[in-house]
Amino acid sequence: MSEISIDTLKTMLANLDDAKKYQSLRDVMETLPAPDLAAVFEDLPAEKLPVLFRLCPKDLAADVFTELTPETQQKLIDGLTDTELKAVVDELFVDDATDLVEEMPANVVKRILGQADPATRRMINELLKYPEDSAGGVMTTELMELRPDMTVAQAMEAIRRNGFDKETINNCYVTDDSRRLIGVVSLRALVLAKNTEEPIKDLMDFNVVSVSTTTDQEDVSNLFEKYGFLAIPVVDAENRLVGIVTIDDAISILQDEASEDIAKMNAIGPSDKPYFKQSMWDLYKSRAPWLLFLMISATFSSLVIRGYEDALAAVTVLTAYIPMLTDAGGNAGSQSTSTIIRGMAVGDIQPHDLPRILWRESRVALMCGGTLAVCNFVKLLVLDRIAAPVALVVCLTLICTILLSQIIGGILPVAAEKLHVDPAVMASPLITTIVDTTTLLIYFNIAKMLLHL
């Protein structure tokens, strides 16, 4: 639904609410997708949230609740009775309930767990034991499990009986008596089976791609992209099936990881809150430390310039081209770093590929640097009308700077991966600061050699 139609929807619901036409309001809300209805709820005043939420059918209410931001969820919980809160929690899938508990303050968590049934509470507590960014932390335990000696008819009956509260039944996981994962069978295979007495073990696929509870969530999401799965089983150290990660969780993970990488690549502390939901203090904390670090690191460039004051005094025109050279080096390094980071993120590049990376980046750098140098040399002589030796200094520096920048840009992300540091940290701002200093050193040393300063 477009932004215009969302605004129209907000106006329509507000008018129905003001006129107290609650039956019409309920009829309209029943026709809306949960994400669109949640977008309307986000802008409602706190006192209106419970009123409209109570008009939603039970299943739709749970779906809308999971789409709300944590701040809006908390406002809504504050306005619900314990009985209403229990109804919402009972309708949530366990992974969504766990996410809710992780986001809420202690007093709200106490209410949520107090209203959850014992089985749900046990599963939530179990999921909370796993690291937040692991497969165990994002999985759901609500899956369809079958035994290998079941017939197709028995399996279909089990799905009809137990499938309502499962997050997905597209794939059913086959386990032995100890819950060890031994295979997977699709609902399609069961539905299309001609012999309903055929055992599951004859239909199932023994080659199951699974992850452990400690697998990093980003690695899990990459498997979805690689294999095109709708769900991936999660096993413990003894290969016992403990849960599944579904495609909707994988999409959320990819979005979160992309947002985090973009923030780090632009020297901003990552945040899981939308821009307008962050306070001024949150924005300040995410930016100020990086700006302070980059400002301090930039002092090295100042030290280099002070060290070559005599050379600059002798040929003052050199000063005019410092910004162009440092910008060109920073841009070239950022291009290289961004390309390598993206390649590593999607699995195209591995740390052992470093020699190949450097060989390719060196050749590309010489081609790019040579093109810029030739164009710049003509511009310096024709438009700027400076002496040929000075133009040669600038252009040679340009080639060397781009070469060094792209080599550094290729090395830093790989080094970060080896040191178990997020490669995104090595992106634009940091590499620009490093390249600025090296560019000035190259520039002034070439000037001293060619101009005899």
Side-chain angles (χ1 to χ4, degrees):
M1 198 173 273
S2 67
E3 287 299 321
I4 295 176
S5 56
I6 285 288
D7 290 338
T8 304
L9 179 60
K10 290 176 183 176
T11 303
M12 179 174 61
L13 294 181
N15 291 337
L16 289 172
D17 183 41
D18 291 339
K20 305 206 180 299
K21 295 182 179 180
Y22 294 123
Q23 185 56 51
S24 299
L25 192 55
R26 179 185 178 90
D27 293 341
V28 171
M29 290 197 295
E30 283 181 345
T31 66
L32 299 175
D36 293 335
L37 196 51
V40 175
F41 275 50
E42 287 292 341
D43 291 332
L44 289 176
E47 65 274 10
K48 290 281 188 181
L49 275 171
V51 177
L52 266 67
F53 190 78
R54 291 183 182 110
L55 295 175
C56 294
K58 187 167 61 172
D59 292 343
L60 178 60
D63 291 340
V64 169
F65 189 86
T66 59
E67 296 287 342
L68 298 174
T69 61
E71 293 78 12
T72 306
Q73 286 177 339
Q74 185 176 347
K75 291 177 185 176
L76 181 55
I77 290 172
D78 291 340
L80 296 178
T81 65
D82 287 347
T83 303
E84 290 169 332
L85 179 57
K86 176 175 172 54
V88 173
V89 174
D90 287 345
E91 287 295 319
L92 295 177
F93 288 116
V94 174
D95 59 333
D96 292 327
T98 304
D99 291 340
L100 174 63
V101 168
E102 288 179 327
E103 296 287 349
M104 294 295 111
N107 61 319
V108 179
V109 170
K110 187 175 180 179
R111 276 194 71 197
I112 294 169
L113 293 179
Q115 300 309 314
D117 63 68
T120 302
R121 191 158 54 244
R122 279 197 304 273
M123 287 189 285
I124 290 174
N125 289 330
E126 186 66 29
L127 291 178
L128 288 173
K129 295 178 183 177
Y130 298 110
E132 186 180 353
D133 58 353
S134 69
V138 297
M139 71 181 182
T140 179
T141 56
E142 291 156 325
L143 54 91
M144 197 64 223
E145 197 171 339
L146 302 174
R147 293 287 183 264
D149 54 353
M150 280 183 171
T151 64
V152 171
Q154 290 172 333
M156 291 299 294
E157 178 58 29
I159 292 171
R160 292 189 193 99
R161 188 172 59 252
N162 302 315
F164 289 103
D165 60 349
K166 307 305 180 187
E167 183 135 345
T168 178
I169 57 171
N170 290 330
N171 285 322
C172 304
Y173 299 95
V174 186
T175 59
D176 61 18
D177 294 337
S178 299
R179 295 204 70 199
R180 288 186 177 86
L181 181 63
I182 57 176
V184 61
V185 62
S186 68
L187 182 61
R188 175 188 175 89
L190 295 175
V191 171
L192 296 179
K194 295 180 179 179
N195 181 7
T196 59
E197 296 303 313
E198 187 175 6
I200 295 299
K201 61 185 177 183
D202 292 345
L203 292 174
M204 71 181 186
D205 185 354
F206 288 89
N207 298 316
V208 188
V209 175
S210 62
V211 296
S212 73
T213 53
T214 56
T215 303
D216 186 88
Q217 63 176 12
E218 190 171 6
D219 295 333
V220 177
S221 61
N222 288 335
L223 290 178
F224 281 90
E225 184 178 9
K226 181 178 181 180
Y227 294 107
F229 290 149
L230 296 177
I232 292 179
V234 182
V235 298
D236 63 12
E238 297 178 4
N239 201 43
R240 289 178 300 201
L241 182 64
V242 293
I244 57 172
V245 178
T246 52
I247 185 65
D248 58 324
D249 294 318
I251 292 172
S252 296
I253 291 166
L254 288 172
Q255 289 176 334
D256 292 342
E257 294 291 344
S259 297
E260 182 179 330
D261 287 347
I262 290 171
K264 289 180 178 178
M265 290 173 73
N266 290 280
I268 301 173
S271 173
D272 56 359
K273 296 180 181 179
Y275 175 78
F276 287 109
K277 296 291 184 180
Q278 297 180 61
S279 67
M280 300 295 288
W281 178 245
D282 290 334
L283 293 171
Y284 166 78
K285 288 191 298 181
S286 68
R287 300 180 187 185
W290 271 104
L291 291 174
L292 181 61
F293 168 76
L294 294 173
M295 182 190 72
I296 294 172
S297 60
T299 58
F300 291 107
S301 299
S302 302
L303 292 175
V304 172
I305 292 174
R306 289 178 61 184
Y308 289 90
E309 284 180 343
D310 293 341
L312 287 173
V315 186
T316 55
V317 72
L318 292 174
T319 307
Y321 300 102
I322 290 177
M324 182 270 292
L325 292 170
T326 54
D327 286 351
N331 292 335
S334 297
Q335 287 181 336
S336 177
T337 303
S338 301
T339 303
I340 302 304
I341 289 173
R342 179 57 184 164
M344 294 172 69
V346 299
D348 292 340
I349 297 174
Q350 302 297 328
H352 61 74
D353 293 323
L354 182 59
R356 294 175 60 196
I357 293 171
L358 297 182
W359 174 233
R360 289 174 66 87
E361 289 298 318
S362 298
R363 287 180 294 168
V364 172
L366 289 174
M367 293 167 64
C368 292
T371 301
L372 294 181
V374 170
C375 295
N376 200 43
F377 190 77
V378 174
K379 178 253 185 187
L380 293 173
L381 294 180
V382 176
L383 298 180
D384 296 355
R385 299 185 180 279
I386 65 172
V390 176
L392 185 61
V393 169
V394 174
C395 293
L396 284 176
T397 302
L398 195 56
I399 295 173
C400 295
T401 293
I402 291 177
L403 175 62
L404 183 62
S405 299
Q406 294 196 194
I407 289 175
I408 293 173
I411 291 174
L412 285 181
V414 177
E417 184 74 14
K418 283 285 189 180
L419 296 172
H420 304 291
V421 177
D422 191 337
V425 176
M426 301 297 179
S428 301
L430 186 57
I431 194 171
T432 299
T433 302
I434 295 172
V435 167
D436 283 353
T437 304
T438 54
T439 297
L440 292 172
L441 288 170
I442 293 170
Y443 188 34
F444 293 133
N445 279 286
I446 290 178
K448 285 182 69 175
M449 286 188 295
L450 295 185
L451 304 179
H452 309 291
L453 299 176

